[in-house]
Amino acid sequence: MVNVTFWGVRGSTPCPCDQNRRYGGNTACVTVEAPDMDPIIFDLGTGLRFFGESLEGSDEPFRGIALVTHMHWDHVQGLPFFTPIHQEGASLEVHGRSETCSLDESFRAFMKPPFFPVGPDDLRGDISFHDLDHDEITWGRARIVARDVPHTGLTNGYRVEVDGVAIAYISDHQQPADPTSVAPGVVELCRDADLVIHDAQYERAEYALKADWGHCTIDYAVRVAEAAGARRLALFHHDPSHTDDIVDRLVVEARDAVSAGGPEVFAAAEGVTVSLASVLV
Ligand SMILES: [Zn+2]
Ligand SMILES: [Zn+2]
């Protein structure tokens, strides 16, 4: 069984408040865990802190890999607050890309004064940064694929295949002028996936006002999942202004937009684990 857990599901900025309690107010962080394999983490938003809390009491030093889509705050801000990396012997490989310099330089640029008092080398565990751009790597028995995703700057999307299960993570996706088209790299990542976790930031009216802000409508998220033949679609990167009630309504609208035989749709919610098993037994 492969477990996918949502620790942060918001886009843009944390937004904890009573109206967002059910879906949660933390920014992007999702883990993929399989038996006898060190965890894979999609993005290091503020939800990462709660993944760290869930590991408290573990005897073994943490070892894991993080796949960062891009360097926007909502995808990296949680790193210094991930307490397992403050232990001797812990290690975290961070893979991703930065627009203007190496990933290593980029993280060191924002984890230093005056932005933050502690740098990556001040942590007791070992953090290493690796540039990853249109490539494939392995982690244990998992295959990881990185491809370009249209956004406001250079951004990765990821596909993880492990134990016969495929998960695609497309956190921030600029909808094209022609909403029937999908970038080939995105289709490749999502092809026949058991679960696609996809940007679902805007309603149509919001998108009309923010068409070049790097995101897409709920309908476009459905379009991507259907174009790739995915089995499930998790609406993700909820707009910080969307209350739980609004997200509930958007799920209903997204389900109405799905064609017969299309993907099962739900909204990603903080603290929820989706368990996936291979259908090829
Ligand atoms: Zn984002
Ligand atoms: Zn972004």
Side-chain angles (χ1 to χ4, degrees):
M1 194 69 81
V2 177
N3 286 330
V4 179
T5 303
F6 297 99
W7 302 98
V9 299
R10 290 285 164 178
S12 311
T13 187
C15 52
C17 63
D18 284 350
Q19 295 91 335
N20 298 345
R21 195 177 291 280
R22 282 188 288 118
Y23 289 102
N26 281 293
T27 62
C29 183
V30 181
T31 52
V32 178
E33 295 173 284
D36 304 318
M37 193 184 84
D38 295 317
I40 298 169
I41 308 169
F42 291 128
D43 276 330
L44 303 170
T46 63
L48 179 67
R49 179 172 166 271
F50 295 90
F51 174 50
E53 277 191 0
S54 77
L55 301 173
E56 276 175 14
S58 169
D59 297 335
E60 295 287 312
F62 177 81
R63 182 169 180 272
I65 186 172
L67 305 172
V68 172
T69 52
H70 62 311
M71 291 300 298
H72 287 170
W73 290 345
D74 48 326
H75 300 261
V76 295
Q77 223 175 4
L79 179 56
F81 304 98
F82 184 56
T83 50
I85 201 63
H86 295 278
Q87 293 167 357
E88 212 69 61
S91 76
L92 178 64
E93 278 187 23
V94 182
H95 294 251
R97 72 197 295 188
S98 175
E99 229 169 298
T100 52
C101 55
S102 71
L103 193 73
D104 185 272
E105 289 168 320
S106 208
F107 269 94
R108 287 177 194 285
F110 93 87
M111 282 180 69
K112 73 173 185 185
F115 307 110
F116 198 73
V118 172
D121 296 334
D122 299 322
L123 306 175
R124 282 210 197 131
D126 177 47
I127 301 185
S128 57
F129 299 100
H130 308 264
D131 291 308
L132 181 62
D133 169 12
H134 197 88
D135 207 349
E136 299 183 17
I137 57 174
T138 55
W139 176 255
R141 58 187 188 277
R143 172 176 177 255
I144 294 166
V145 182
R147 293 288 182 263
D148 285 356
V149 175
H151 184 40
T152 59
L154 297 178
T155 298
N156 280 346
Y158 295 101
R159 178 185 179 94
V160 169
E161 295 173 0
V162 60
D163 296 349
V165 167
I167 301 137
Y169 180 75
I170 317 288
S171 64
D172 300 53
H173 192 182
Q174 172 66 59
Q175 181 168 319
D178 171 7
T180 64
S181 72
V182 182
V186 173
V187 176
E188 183 187 347
L189 293 175
C190 300
R191 175 65 66 203
D192 299 327
D194 297 277
L195 174 64
V196 170
I197 302 163
H198 196 282
D199 187 346
Q201 184 124 359
Y202 297 138
E203 302 190 60
R204 278 178 222 164
E206 293 168 330
Y207 177 74
L209 299 172
K210 301 174 179 177
D212 60 352
W213 285 30
H215 298 286
C216 62
T217 59
I218 313 297
D219 308 77
Y220 191 67
V222 171
R223 167 77 194 143
V224 170
E226 289 198 334
R231 288 193 182 82
R232 294 175 196 80
L233 168 64
L235 303 176
F236 186 74
H237 208 277
H238 307 308
D239 191 273
S241 72
H242 288 178
T243 63
D244 290 334
D245 291 344
I246 292 174
V247 175
D248 284 344
R249 175 169 57 74
L250 295 177
V251 172
V252 172
E253 290 179 13
R255 287 175 180 160
D256 286 345
V258 172
S259 310
E264 175 194 324
V265 179
F266 63 97
E270 215 171 278
V272 168
T273 297
V274 178
S275 296
L276 302 169
S278 172
V279 292
L280 307 171
V281 179

